[in-house]
Amino acid sequence: MQKMGKSLKDIDGLPLPNSSLMRESAYEAILQSVENEGHLFFISGHGGTGKTFLWNTLITKLRSESKIVLPVATSGIAALLLPNGRTTHSRFHIPLEVSAESTCEIRHDTLLSELLMKTSLIIWDEAPMANKYCFEALDKSLRDILRTRYENSTTKPFGGLTIVCGGDFRQIFPVVPKGTRADIADASLNSSYLWPFFKIYELNQNMRLYNGSVDEYEVAKIAYFEKWLLQIGDGSLYDDIDKELIKNPFKIYKNPSNDPMNSILEAIYPSLLHNYSDSTYLKERAILNPKNEVVHELNEMIMNMIPEEGRIYLSSNSICKASINTNEEDLLYPIELLHSLKFNGIPNHDINLNEGAPGMLLKNLNQIEGLCNGTILIVTRLGKWSIRGDII
């Protein structure tokens, strides 16, 4: 990144208001809600503004008083950052396919229902990523389960239990397969009937930049880039001539060969052959792609560059023999067709791996050990029937 011609205080809107006061105000309000009648809170803020710090402080405080706090997150990686965190679907048995009529699969007189009866606070991190029907399903279930704990619980949001949600609406919205922009907006939490009941606290200062461990020039450079990202998220950064284009103030790496793939690899992974086995080198770099086809193409290029001997693993596809007319289905769906199918969240029929190469888990295997959807590992051994990897 080229040297900016601005100092920290020259950047519009910096220094930002101190988020510590807002966090303290939210902290006191949440504790008061736990002690009295339950309310709903939404802590809004981009990365680094102290949401996780607030979660940990609340959890430590209430658990020190022998009160039960259930910290959950929409994604597995976010759940790992919370003490004894779980994904929301795992904790509350939310259906994978949700609709306006969905409820959580929680029965009365079960261990989970008894746990919810004794719970003082639920913290839901990365809430904007979840479909609004997930919150509404939990709302309907808690109104039923807590009817013997709180008076008039059937008329109160989440049955009268204190709920704290957090996240950033500039980031990932709920995924609506083949949905339009309007469909995605309608699936968001702020389109739910529950949203008017939330009290919103907004954190807007990146606390990581002001902890004294980063020098002033680096703070100014990172803050400039951060402000640019926030403007993109707010939809306020467009070219004056073409309103569909975003102005980029940074130097773009170009390769004289006009090969965009190699340009990206050389810019993001310089000296790859000398550093591909260095976990520090790998975890500081990533290439984001909008389509899986591009991901597979880049992966294949990188695997071919690594000198270690690789191994190709193949899936095993077949027609379910429990189906009727299996002979005809074998003709309609030959194995070659099954091998060519590609789905989101599932690896392709063939996957090429090299020792020392990074990989990402796509399923939750053992959340306690950190093996969940999104965990990055380095492949250390390629066996015939198994693969060994170390978490970065």
Side-chain angles (χ1 to χ4, degrees):
M1 186 181 297
Q2 292 179 310
K3 182 177 180 180
M4 314 297 179
K6 301 181 179 182
S7 66
L8 175 61
K9 295 183 180 179
D10 290 332
I11 301 173
D12 296 339
L14 290 175
L16 294 170
N18 196 332
S19 290
S20 298
L21 297 177
M22 186 63 70
R23 283 205 314 272
E24 183 178 352
S25 176
Y27 173 80
E28 296 295 340
I30 293 169
L31 290 183
Q32 184 177 0
S33 174
V34 171
E35 293 296 332
N36 302 302
E37 185 175 359
H39 294 284
L40 310 185
F41 301 89
F42 187 89
I43 312 300
S44 174
H46 57 279
T49 53
K51 298 187 298 296
T52 303
F53 177 83
L54 177 60
W55 308 153
N56 291 332
T57 305
L58 287 168
I59 293 170
T60 302
K61 167 66 176 176
L62 293 175
R63 286 179 176 172
S64 68
E65 299 174 353
S66 300
K67 295 179 179 177
I68 296 177
V69 182
L70 299 182
V72 297
T74 306
S75 66
I77 290 296
L80 290 177
L81 300 177
L82 303 171
N84 299 320
R86 295 267 297 274
T87 60
T88 51
H89 287 75
S90 170
R91 170 59 75 186
F92 302 124
H93 299 176
I94 300 174
L96 295 179
E97 299 292 336
V98 291
S99 65
E101 293 76 29
S102 297
T103 59
C104 299
E105 298 175 2
I106 307 175
R107 298 182 179 180
H108 285 276
D109 299 323
T110 61
L111 291 177
L112 181 55
S113 65
E114 294 177 3
L115 176 65
L116 291 172
M117 284 288 291
K118 300 176 182 178
T119 298
S120 299
L121 174 66
I122 292 177
I123 297 176
W124 190 327
D125 198 11
E126 302 294 353
M129 293 173 57
N131 193 296
K132 69 177 182 181
Y133 294 140
C134 294
F135 301 93
E136 295 174 4
L138 180 61
D139 169 53
K140 287 177 281 191
S141 296
L142 288 180
R143 291 187 191 216
D144 176 53
I145 292 171
L146 301 180
R147 66 177 184 266
T148 59
R149 176 179 176 182
Y150 297 114
E151 185 178 357
N152 299 323
S153 69
T154 56
T155 63
K156 299 176 182 178
F158 295 100
L161 190 63
T162 300
I163 306 291
V164 179
C165 295
D168 184 7
F169 281 102
R170 301 182 189 91
Q171 297 180 14
I172 302 176
F173 277 88
V175 176
V176 180
K178 299 183 180 180
T180 64
R181 192 171 184 175
D183 294 331
I184 297 173
D186 182 64
S188 300
L189 172 60
N190 52 9
S191 297
S192 170
Y193 65 80
L194 294 166
W195 185 248
F197 296 99
F198 281 91
K199 184 175 183 180
I200 302 172
Y201 290 85
E202 186 169 357
L203 309 180
N204 53 18
Q205 184 182 25
N206 193 330
M207 304 303 294
R208 297 171 185 168
L209 295 182
Y210 302 94
N211 58 11
S213 61
V214 184
D215 62 70
E216 185 175 350
Y217 171 69
E218 287 296 322
V219 167
K221 187 168 63 172
I222 297 173
Y224 186 88
F225 179 68
E226 178 187 54
K227 179 175 180 290
W228 180 71
L229 287 179
L230 293 178
Q231 287 177 327
I232 292 177
D234 293 333
S236 60
L237 189 68
Y238 294 100
D239 188 271
D240 295 331
I241 299 176
D242 191 339
K243 296 300 182 181
E244 297 298 323
L245 297 178
I246 295 175
K247 294 180 292 186
N248 191 329
F250 309 108
K251 178 181 178 181
I252 301 298
Y253 183 88
K254 294 183 179 180
N255 191 314
S257 65
N258 293 322
D259 186 343
M261 290 294 187
N262 281 326
S263 298
I264 293 173
L265 290 178
E266 292 177 11
I268 306 301
Y269 293 98
S271 304
L272 175 63
L273 297 181
H274 301 288
N275 298 288
Y276 70 89
S277 59
D278 184 355
S279 60
T280 303
Y281 172 87
L282 293 174
K283 71 182 181 181
E284 293 177 348
R285 292 165 169 80
I287 300 176
L288 302 181
N289 299 282
K291 295 184 177 180
N292 289 337
E293 291 82 359
V294 182
V295 173
H296 296 314
E297 186 176 351
L298 278 170
N299 284 340
E300 186 176 354
M301 290 179 62
I302 295 176
M303 290 298 102
N304 292 333
M305 294 171 60
I306 296 178
E308 298 290 341
E309 183 178 355
R311 191 161 194 161
I312 297 178
Y313 292 87
L314 304 177
S315 64
S316 177
N317 300 313
S318 62
I319 299 293
C320 179
K321 297 305 179 182
S323 304
I324 60 174
N325 301 324
T326 55
N327 293 330
E328 295 181 6
E329 291 189 359
D330 287 338
L331 297 176
L332 291 174
Y333 306 104
I335 296 299
E336 292 76 15
L337 173 62
L338 300 180
H339 290 344
S340 66
L341 298 178
K342 298 178 181 180
F343 303 97
N344 292 331
I346 300 177
N348 292 341
H349 165 61
D350 57 332
I351 179 172
N352 183 18
L353 294 176
N354 294 60
E355 291 189 8
M360 177 185 290
L361 285 181
L362 299 180
K363 299 293 181 182
N364 294 330
L365 297 181
N366 189 332
Q367 201 170 353
I368 296 177
E369 298 295 333
L371 298 174
C372 60
N373 180 19
T375 300
I376 305 296
L377 307 99
I378 291 182
V379 177
T380 57
R381 191 180 70 85
L382 298 173
K384 184 177 181 180
W385 305 109
S386 63
I387 302 169
R388 174 177 174 174
D390 294 339
I391 298 177
I392 295 183

